[in-house]
Amino acid sequence: AQSVSQHNHHVILSEAASLELGCNYSYGGTVNLFWYVQYPGQHLQLLLKYFSGDPLVKGIKGFEAEFIKSKFSFNLRKPSVQWSDTAEYFCAVNARNYGSSNTGKLIFGQGTTLQVKP
Amino acid sequence: KAGVTQTPRYLIKTRGQQVTLSCSPISGHRSVSWYQQTPGQGLQFLFEYFSETQRNKGNFPGRFSGRQFSNSRSEMNVSTLELGDSALYLCASSAQVSGYYNEQFFGPGTRLTVL
């Protein structure tokens, strides 16, 4: 069965610190990868996505992620966090089987709560 | 374009009752997926509907069901509610061009409390 593991459950950083959130998945086939963010009181929003091509993808608000196929990883990074980045971050995987029933199914990690101190 | 809308936003029910939640996808989106979010289990996939057909189903008991209408609006139903069904239920829509995956856009959710 597919699964997604996020290594850090709760991260506390000071403003301007660098951020890296780990995400590993278990699935032997081709995947689409996502990072979603949930700000306090708001709904899930897409930060960035990887479907194919350049394994280094850039998203909104200065976030980027690198897909390392050999490590089954898709870690999220940001060089300098701001107080407004305080939120919960979710890594998600979709197994890419064209024509199959998996297309609308996202498997989420448990989430990482990021607290940025001003 | 208007985003994904879900109604109602909050619900309080008692054990044994049933509940119906509604989701209106983004205009033009044909795929609707439902998720349950709880502090203990996180975000778990319930099912997905595409063109009025259930295309995929997660590991939830048969008390959880859904349907999709010709205008792509979707409803999910939970019968014989249990305390453990208390959760935030999220709906997501996607354009789902055939043979290719498009990202899912999430609604604000319906907070269900079972007493």
Side-chain angles (χ1 to χ4, degrees), chain A residues 72-95:
Chain A
F72 298 90
S73 71
F74 190 56
N75 292 352
L76 180 71
R77 299 195 291 251
K78 185 172 185 179
S80 175
V81 295
Q82 300 172 318
W83 176 79
S84 58
D85 293 325
T86 295
E88 191 160 15
Y89 293 80
F90 295 92
C91 179
V93 170
N94 167 257

PDB file of all heavy atoms in Angstrom, chain A residues 72-95:
ATOM      1  N   PHE A  72      13.126   8.195  -2.907  1.00  0.00           N
ATOM      2  CA  PHE A  72      11.674   8.297  -2.716  1.00  0.00           C
ATOM      3  C   PHE A  72      11.351   9.512  -1.831  1.00  0.00           C
ATOM      4  O   PHE A  72      10.522   9.427  -0.927  1.00  0.00           O
ATOM      5  CB  PHE A  72      11.117   7.012  -2.076  1.00  0.00           C
ATOM      6  CG  PHE A  72      11.326   5.784  -2.920  1.00  0.00           C
ATOM      7  CD1 PHE A  72      12.481   5.021  -2.762  1.00  0.00           C
ATOM      8  CD2 PHE A  72      10.400   5.403  -3.870  1.00  0.00           C
ATOM      9  CE1 PHE A  72      12.692   3.896  -3.552  1.00  0.00           C
ATOM     10  CE2 PHE A  72      10.607   4.275  -4.658  1.00  0.00           C
ATOM     11  CZ  PHE A  72      11.755   3.526  -4.500  1.00  0.00           C
ATOM     12  N   SER A  73      12.022  10.619  -2.099  1.00  0.00           N
ATOM     13  CA  SER A  73      11.843  11.783  -1.248  1.00  0.00           C
ATOM     14  C   SER A  73      11.403  13.003  -2.047  1.00  0.00           C
ATOM     15  O   SER A  73      11.670  13.124  -3.247  1.00  0.00           O
ATOM     16  CB  SER A  73      13.136  12.092  -0.489  1.00  0.00           C
ATOM     17  OG  SER A  73      14.119  12.595  -1.363  1.00  0.00           O
ATOM     18  N   PHE A  74      10.757  13.910  -1.343  1.00  0.00           N
ATOM     19  CA  PHE A  74      10.281  15.162  -1.936  1.00  0.00           C
ATOM     20  C   PHE A  74      10.290  16.202  -0.829  1.00  0.00           C
ATOM     21  O   PHE A  74       9.264  16.559  -0.264  1.00  0.00           O
ATOM     22  CB  PHE A  74       8.877  14.973  -2.522  1.00  0.00           C
ATOM     23  CG  PHE A  74       8.382  16.124  -3.363  1.00  0.00           C
ATOM     24  CD1 PHE A  74       9.113  16.577  -4.447  1.00  0.00           C
ATOM     25  CD2 PHE A  74       7.163  16.734  -3.090  1.00  0.00           C
ATOM     26  CE1 PHE A  74       8.654  17.626  -5.244  1.00  0.00           C
ATOM     27  CE2 PHE A  74       6.691  17.780  -3.873  1.00  0.00           C
ATOM     28  CZ  PHE A  74       7.444  18.220  -4.944  1.00  0.00           C
ATOM     29  N   ASN A  75      11.467  16.694  -0.502  1.00  0.00           N
ATOM     30  CA  ASN A  75      11.633  17.602   0.631  1.00  0.00           C
ATOM     31  C   ASN A  75      11.329  19.037   0.248  1.00  0.00           C
ATOM     32  O   ASN A  75      11.685  19.501  -0.836  1.00  0.00           O
ATOM     33  CB  ASN A  75      13.055  17.503   1.174  1.00  0.00           C
ATOM     34  CG  ASN A  75      13.331  16.153   1.821  1.00  0.00           C
ATOM     35  OD1 ASN A  75      12.423  15.338   1.990  1.00  0.00           O
ATOM     36  ND2 ASN A  75      14.580  15.916   2.158  1.00  0.00           N
ATOM     37  N   LEU A  76      10.702  19.728   1.171  1.00  0.00           N
ATOM     38  CA  LEU A  76      10.309  21.124   0.978  1.00  0.00           C
ATOM     39  C   LEU A  76      11.353  22.027   1.605  1.00  0.00           C
ATOM     40  O   LEU A  76      11.814  21.761   2.722  1.00  0.00           O
ATOM     41  CB  LEU A  76       8.948  21.377   1.624  1.00  0.00           C
ATOM     42  CG  LEU A  76       8.373  22.785   1.510  1.00  0.00           C
ATOM     43  CD1 LEU A  76       7.937  23.068   0.080  1.00  0.00           C
ATOM     44  CD2 LEU A  76       7.191  22.954   2.474  1.00  0.00           C
ATOM     45  N   ARG A  77      11.699  23.119   0.907  1.00  0.00           N
ATOM     46  CA  ARG A  77      12.703  24.035   1.427  1.00  0.00           C
ATOM     47  C   ARG A  77      12.265  25.481   1.231  1.00  0.00           C
ATOM     48  O   ARG A  77      11.505  25.798   0.310  1.00  0.00           O
ATOM     49  CB  ARG A  77      14.057  23.824   0.720  1.00  0.00           C
ATOM     50  CG  ARG A  77      14.629  22.439   0.894  1.00  0.00           C
ATOM     51  CD  ARG A  77      16.073  22.422   0.498  1.00  0.00           C
ATOM     52  NE  ARG A  77      16.252  22.596  -0.943  1.00  0.00           N
ATOM     53  CZ  ARG A  77      16.647  21.628  -1.763  1.00  0.00           C
ATOM     54  NH1 ARG A  77      16.852  20.411  -1.285  1.00  0.00           N
ATOM     55  NH2 ARG A  77      16.810  21.858  -3.039  1.00  0.00           N
ATOM     56  N   LYS A  78      12.791  26.312   2.140  1.00  0.00           N
ATOM     57  CA  LYS A  78      12.652  27.761   1.969  1.00  0.00           C
ATOM     58  C   LYS A  78      13.870  28.397   2.626  1.00  0.00           C
ATOM     59  O   LYS A  78      14.179  28.087   3.788  1.00  0.00           O
ATOM     60  CB  LYS A  78      11.357  28.291   2.592  1.00  0.00           C
ATOM     61  CG  LYS A  78      11.145  29.778   2.304  1.00  0.00           C
ATOM     62  CD  LYS A  78       9.777  30.260   2.740  1.00  0.00           C
ATOM     63  CE  LYS A  78       9.588  31.723   2.320  1.00  0.00           C
ATOM     64  NZ  LYS A  78       8.258  32.265   2.685  1.00  0.00           N
ATOM     65  N   PRO A  79      14.589  29.277   1.922  1.00  0.00           N
ATOM     66  CA  PRO A  79      15.841  29.810   2.453  1.00  0.00           C
ATOM     67  C   PRO A  79      15.657  30.676   3.701  1.00  0.00           C
ATOM     68  O   PRO A  79      16.511  30.669   4.589  1.00  0.00           O
ATOM     69  CB  PRO A  79      16.401  30.650   1.302  1.00  0.00           C
ATOM     70  CG  PRO A  79      15.635  30.251   0.095  1.00  0.00           C
ATOM     71  CD  PRO A  79      14.312  29.747   0.554  1.00  0.00           C
ATOM     72  N   SER A  80      14.531  31.404   3.766  1.00  0.00           N
ATOM     73  CA  SER A  80      14.365  32.348   4.865  1.00  0.00           C
ATOM     74  C   SER A  80      12.866  32.435   5.194  1.00  0.00           C
ATOM     75  O   SER A  80      12.089  32.979   4.410  1.00  0.00           O
ATOM     76  CB  SER A  80      14.908  33.720   4.467  1.00  0.00           C
ATOM     77  OG  SER A  80      14.652  34.674   5.476  1.00  0.00           O
ATOM     78  N   VAL A  81      12.477  31.894   6.336  1.00  0.00           N
ATOM     79  CA  VAL A  81      11.050  31.864   6.679  1.00  0.00           C
ATOM     80  C   VAL A  81      10.613  33.184   7.300  1.00  0.00           C
ATOM     81  O   VAL A  81      11.404  33.929   7.871  1.00  0.00           O
ATOM     82  CB  VAL A  81      10.719  30.701   7.641  1.00  0.00           C
ATOM     83  CG1 VAL A  81      10.952  29.370   6.955  1.00  0.00           C
ATOM     84  CG2 VAL A  81      11.510  30.811   8.940  1.00  0.00           C
ATOM     85  N   GLN A  82       9.300  33.424   7.177  1.00  0.00           N
ATOM     86  CA  GLN A  82       8.707  34.610   7.775  1.00  0.00           C
ATOM     87  C   GLN A  82       7.641  34.168   8.771  1.00  0.00           C
ATOM     88  O   GLN A  82       7.147  33.034   8.712  1.00  0.00           O
ATOM     89  CB  GLN A  82       8.062  35.464   6.674  1.00  0.00           C
ATOM     90  CG  GLN A  82       9.028  35.928   5.614  1.00  0.00           C
ATOM     91  CD  GLN A  82       8.315  36.607   4.455  1.00  0.00           C
ATOM     92  OE1 GLN A  82       7.268  36.147   3.999  1.00  0.00           O
ATOM     93  NE2 GLN A  82       8.878  37.699   3.978  1.00  0.00           N
ATOM     94  N   TRP A  83       7.266  35.081   9.654  1.00  0.00           N
ATOM     95  CA  TRP A  83       6.246  34.781  10.635  1.00  0.00           C
ATOM     96  C   TRP A  83       4.958  34.291   9.949  1.00  0.00           C
ATOM     97  O   TRP A  83       4.270  33.401  10.431  1.00  0.00           O
ATOM     98  CB  TRP A  83       5.965  36.025  11.475  1.00  0.00           C
ATOM     99  CG  TRP A  83       4.859  35.838  12.453  1.00  0.00           C
ATOM    100  CD1 TRP A  83       4.903  35.210  13.663  1.00  0.00           C
ATOM    101  CD2 TRP A  83       3.507  36.285  12.291  1.00  0.00           C
ATOM    102  NE1 TRP A  83       3.667  35.243  14.270  1.00  0.00           N
ATOM    103  CE2 TRP A  83       2.796  35.895  13.450  1.00  0.00           C
ATOM    104  CE3 TRP A  83       2.837  36.996  11.296  1.00  0.00           C
ATOM    105  CZ2 TRP A  83       1.441  36.176  13.636  1.00  0.00           C
ATOM    106  CZ3 TRP A  83       1.487  37.273  11.474  1.00  0.00           C
ATOM    107  CH2 TRP A  83       0.813  36.865  12.631  1.00  0.00           C
ATOM    108  N   SER A  84       4.662  34.851   8.763  1.00  0.00           N
ATOM    109  CA  SER A  84       3.448  34.492   8.034  1.00  0.00           C
ATOM    110  C   SER A  84       3.486  33.064   7.463  1.00  0.00           C
ATOM    111  O   SER A  84       2.480  32.582   6.938  1.00  0.00           O
ATOM    112  CB  SER A  84       3.201  35.476   6.880  1.00  0.00           C
ATOM    113  OG  SER A  84       4.309  35.492   6.001  1.00  0.00           O
ATOM    114  N   ASP A  85       4.631  32.400   7.563  1.00  0.00           N
ATOM    115  CA  ASP A  85       4.721  31.006   7.108  1.00  0.00           C
ATOM    116  C   ASP A  85       4.224  30.019   8.172  1.00  0.00           C
ATOM    117  O   ASP A  85       4.175  28.810   7.917  1.00  0.00           O
ATOM    118  CB  ASP A  85       6.163  30.650   6.729  1.00  0.00           C
ATOM    119  CG  ASP A  85       6.647  31.397   5.501  1.00  0.00           C
ATOM    120  OD1 ASP A  85       5.834  31.634   4.588  1.00  0.00           O
ATOM    121  OD2 ASP A  85       7.846  31.759   5.463  1.00  0.00           O
ATOM    122  N   THR A  86       3.877  30.536   9.330  1.00  0.00           N
ATOM    123  CA  THR A  86       3.325  29.684  10.377  1.00  0.00           C
ATOM    124  C   THR A  86       2.068  28.994   9.864  1.00  0.00           C
ATOM    125  O   THR A  86       1.104  29.640   9.457  1.00  0.00           O
ATOM    126  CB  THR A  86       2.989  30.522  11.635  1.00  0.00           C
ATOM    127  OG1 THR A  86       4.191  31.041  12.167  1.00  0.00           O
ATOM    128  CG2 THR A  86       2.270  29.676  12.675  1.00  0.00           C
ATOM    129  N   ALA A  87       2.086  27.669   9.844  1.00  0.00           N
ATOM    130  CA  ALA A  87       0.999  26.904   9.221  1.00  0.00           C
ATOM    131  C   ALA A  87       1.296  25.420   9.380  1.00  0.00           C
ATOM    132  O   ALA A  87       2.324  25.028   9.930  1.00  0.00           O
ATOM    133  CB  ALA A  87       0.890  27.243   7.734  1.00  0.00           C
ATOM    134  N   GLU A  88       0.372  24.615   8.885  1.00  0.00           N
ATOM    135  CA  GLU A  88       0.607  23.170   8.817  1.00  0.00           C
ATOM    136  C   GLU A  88       0.873  22.799   7.364  1.00  0.00           C
ATOM    137  O   GLU A  88       0.164  23.247   6.456  1.00  0.00           O
ATOM    138  CB  GLU A  88      -0.582  22.384   9.360  1.00  0.00           C
ATOM    139  CG  GLU A  88      -0.277  20.909   9.548  1.00  0.00           C
ATOM    140  CD  GLU A  88      -1.211  20.206  10.504  1.00  0.00           C
ATOM    141  OE1 GLU A  88      -2.277  20.762  10.822  1.00  0.00           O
ATOM    142  OE2 GLU A  88      -0.879  19.079  10.933  1.00  0.00           O
ATOM    143  N   TYR A  89       1.894  21.973   7.165  1.00  0.00           N
ATOM    144  CA  TYR A  89       2.340  21.609   5.823  1.00  0.00           C
ATOM    145  C   TYR A  89       2.141  20.114   5.602  1.00  0.00           C
ATOM    146  O   TYR A  89       2.512  19.286   6.436  1.00  0.00           O
ATOM    147  CB  TYR A  89       3.814  21.987   5.640  1.00  0.00           C
ATOM    148  CG  TYR A  89       4.033  23.478   5.648  1.00  0.00           C
ATOM    149  CD1 TYR A  89       4.092  24.183   6.840  1.00  0.00           C
ATOM    150  CD2 TYR A  89       4.141  24.193   4.455  1.00  0.00           C
ATOM    151  CE1 TYR A  89       4.251  25.560   6.854  1.00  0.00           C
ATOM    152  CE2 TYR A  89       4.310  25.571   4.455  1.00  0.00           C
ATOM    153  CZ  TYR A  89       4.363  26.242   5.658  1.00  0.00           C
ATOM    154  OH  TYR A  89       4.517  27.611   5.672  1.00  0.00           O
ATOM    155  N   PHE A  90       1.557  19.792   4.454  1.00  0.00           N
ATOM    156  CA  PHE A  90       1.261  18.398   4.123  1.00  0.00           C
ATOM    157  C   PHE A  90       1.926  18.012   2.818  1.00  0.00           C
ATOM    158  O   PHE A  90       1.777  18.705   1.807  1.00  0.00           O
ATOM    159  CB  PHE A  90      -0.251  18.183   3.969  1.00  0.00           C
ATOM    160  CG  PHE A  90      -1.031  18.387   5.230  1.00  0.00           C
ATOM    161  CD1 PHE A  90      -1.569  19.623   5.544  1.00  0.00           C
ATOM    162  CD2 PHE A  90      -1.241  17.327   6.106  1.00  0.00           C
ATOM    163  CE1 PHE A  90      -2.307  19.814   6.704  1.00  0.00           C
ATOM    164  CE2 PHE A  90      -1.975  17.497   7.267  1.00  0.00           C
ATOM    165  CZ  PHE A  90      -2.501  18.749   7.563  1.00  0.00           C
ATOM    166  N   CYS A  91       2.592  16.891   2.843  1.00  0.00           N
ATOM    167  CA  CYS A  91       3.114  16.283   1.636  1.00  0.00           C
ATOM    168  C   CYS A  91       2.083  15.271   1.147  1.00  0.00           C
ATOM    169  O   CYS A  91       1.440  14.590   1.963  1.00  0.00           O
ATOM    170  CB  CYS A  91       4.439  15.584   1.969  1.00  0.00           C
ATOM    171  SG  CYS A  91       5.224  14.749   0.585  1.00  0.00           S
ATOM    172  N   ALA A  92       1.886  15.177  -0.165  1.00  0.00           N
ATOM    173  CA  ALA A  92       0.887  14.254  -0.701  1.00  0.00           C
ATOM    174  C   ALA A  92       1.398  13.610  -1.983  1.00  0.00           C
ATOM    175  O   ALA A  92       2.169  14.220  -2.734  1.00  0.00           O
ATOM    176  CB  ALA A  92      -0.432  14.978  -0.967  1.00  0.00           C
ATOM    177  N   VAL A  93       0.943  12.390  -2.191  1.00  0.00           N
ATOM    178  CA  VAL A  93       1.375  11.597  -3.337  1.00  0.00           C
ATOM    179  C   VAL A  93       0.160  11.065  -4.077  1.00  0.00           C
ATOM    180  O   VAL A  93      -0.828  10.662  -3.453  1.00  0.00           O
ATOM    181  CB  VAL A  93       2.251  10.415  -2.860  1.00  0.00           C
ATOM    182  CG1 VAL A  93       2.507   9.440  -3.994  1.00  0.00           C
ATOM    183  CG2 VAL A  93       3.551  10.915  -2.290  1.00  0.00           C
ATOM    184  N   ASN A  94       0.268  11.069  -5.388  1.00  0.00           N
ATOM    185  CA  ASN A  94      -0.742  10.423  -6.224  1.00  0.00           C
ATOM    186  C   ASN A  94      -0.028   9.425  -7.120  1.00  0.00           C
ATOM    187  O   ASN A  94       0.941   9.790  -7.791  1.00  0.00           O
ATOM    188  CB  ASN A  94      -1.477  11.463  -7.054  1.00  0.00           C
ATOM    189  CG  ASN A  94      -2.307  10.855  -8.157  1.00  0.00           C
ATOM    190  OD1 ASN A  94      -1.935  10.870  -9.318  1.00  0.00           O
ATOM    191  ND2 ASN A  94      -3.435  10.288  -7.785  1.00  0.00           N
ATOM    192  N   ALA A  95      -0.502   8.180  -7.081  1.00  0.00           N
ATOM    193  CA  ALA A  95       0.103   7.154  -7.931  1.00  0.00           C
ATOM    194  C   ALA A  95      -0.383   7.360  -9.353  1.00  0.00           C
ATOM    195  O   ALA A  95      -1.584   7.349  -9.610  1.00  0.00           O
ATOM    196  CB  ALA A  95      -0.288   5.768  -7.431  1.00  0.00           C
TER     197      ALA A  95
END
